[in-house]
Amino acid sequence: MSQYRFPDGVAIVFGGSGGLGSGVVELMSRSGTDVAFTYHKNKEAADAVVKKVEANGQQGMTASVDLLDIAAVQSFVDSVKERFGRIHSVVFATGAFLNILPVMDAEPDVFYETLDTDVKGFYHILRAVVPELREHGGSITALTTAAIHKYISTDGLSSIPKAGVQHLCTAIAREEGHHGIRANCVAVGLIAIGLSQEIDSPPGGILDQWTKQTPLGRAGAPQELFDTVVFLASENAGYISGQSLPVDGGYSA
């Protein structure tokens, strides 16, 4: 039996086909809940994740959704509600590709696109899911970055938009808590999966800086992150809201 408790209904993971999101989807399904999730372009990867959900004895559903299209986000949430009934947990596990460069070196269009993908995309999600969560309560968990808590040079295109995501979670925790809605962030440090593995970082680069400044002296294991996200989303964390929990080996301490 899983250590994480979820009520009847379904969890939604936005960005569930990537390295981080797929691990969250799989662990949620092992915890005994159906999971619906979105992907951007990689249908093959998304279909593979659905098979893992089904292998765990749960129902899975996936769709390609442009988070900048508020009507598409609402349509997806409506279709999930129609198929599964109650939506009890929502996880935001997506974002723009990580661009490592000084903020003033970023072209305006790149900066705007990054802001849109994170802040507008997450706002569109909230507009769709919060009304559904008000009826029975539930959780919203957003993956952000530990650089919000302790900035690292050249990481602004990640941390600045994710700071907006964090404050949206704070607003929901404060303004919707009386409906039984919890909202938390997981501030992701250096994890041995996903975007961190795609960065070409020579000695002295951002990954080298990050590792040297991490007291535990290593990258986090993916499962260490997945466990934290699913815990915060679950009923086990029923009295935790409005928090940003770094999973970073002590980097931001």
Side-chain angles (χ1 to χ4, degrees):
M1 184 175 180
S2 170
Q3 60 184 319
Y4 304 117
R5 303 187 307 273
F6 289 96
D8 291 339
V10 65
I12 297 180
V13 178
F14 288 91
S17 65
L20 299 182
S22 63
V24 171
V25 170
E26 202 273 334
L27 181 54
M28 281 184 147
S29 66
R30 281 198 281 118
S31 300
T33 185
D34 298 330
V35 187
F37 65 94
T38 69
Y39 67 94
H40 182 42
K41 294 180 179 178
N42 195 340
K43 185 178 186 301
E44 183 178 352
D47 289 342
V49 175
V50 170
K51 290 180 179 179
K52 290 182 179 180
V53 171
E54 293 172 345
N56 290 328
Q58 302 300 139
Q59 296 184 66
M61 171 182 170
T62 188
S64 176
V65 179
D66 179 1
L67 298 186
L68 295 182
D69 183 343
I70 191 169
V73 175
Q74 184 66 62
S75 177
F76 174 72
V77 171
D78 289 344
S79 65
V80 172
K81 171 80 171 178
E82 181 178 357
R83 175 172 171 180
F84 294 97
R86 178 186 174 186
I87 297 167
H88 57 66
S89 309
V90 178
V91 176
F92 178 65
T94 188
F97 181 81
L98 196 56
N99 290 289
I100 302 301
L101 75 170
V103 171
M104 290 296 100
D105 288 351
E107 292 296 325
D109 287 349
V110 174
F111 186 73
Y112 302 152
E113 180 182 5
T114 309
L115 283 171
D116 284 351
T117 302
D118 276 338
V119 180
K120 283 188 179 180
F122 187 52
Y123 176 72
H124 292 167
I125 290 168
L126 294 176
R127 292 285 299 184
V129 303
V130 167
E132 298 298 336
L133 295 176
R134 283 173 177 159
E135 184 176 355
H136 300 289
S139 68
I140 298 168
T141 310
L143 273 64
T144 59
T145 172
I148 293 173
H149 296 268
K150 181 179 179 180
Y151 186 77
I152 189 166
S153 181
T154 71
D155 196 37
L157 263 68
S158 172
S159 61
I160 293 168
K162 293 297 187 186
V165 170
Q166 177 179 315
H167 283 288
L168 281 167
C169 276
T170 300
I172 296 302
R174 279 286 184 180
E175 297 168 5
E176 300 291 340
H178 63 287
H179 290 296
I181 299 175
R182 299 183 298 108
N184 295 289
C185 294
V186 176
V188 182
L190 186 60
I191 303 295
I193 194 172
L195 291 176
S196 68
Q197 303 305 294
E198 300 175 21
I199 303 170
D200 182 13
S201 184
I206 187 171
L207 295 189
D208 188 50
Q209 293 178 54
W210 206 313
T211 302
K212 287 180 178 179
Q213 294 182 44
T214 299
L216 290 184
R218 64 173 177 85
Q223 193 61 44
E224 292 172 313
L225 176 66
F226 305 152
D227 278 325
T228 305
V229 175
V230 176
F231 163 71
L232 283 177
S234 73
E235 292 183 324
N236 301 58
Y239 201 54
I240 301 175
S241 189
Q243 303 304 307
S244 176
L245 177 58
V247 180
D248 63 0
Y251 165 79
S252 59

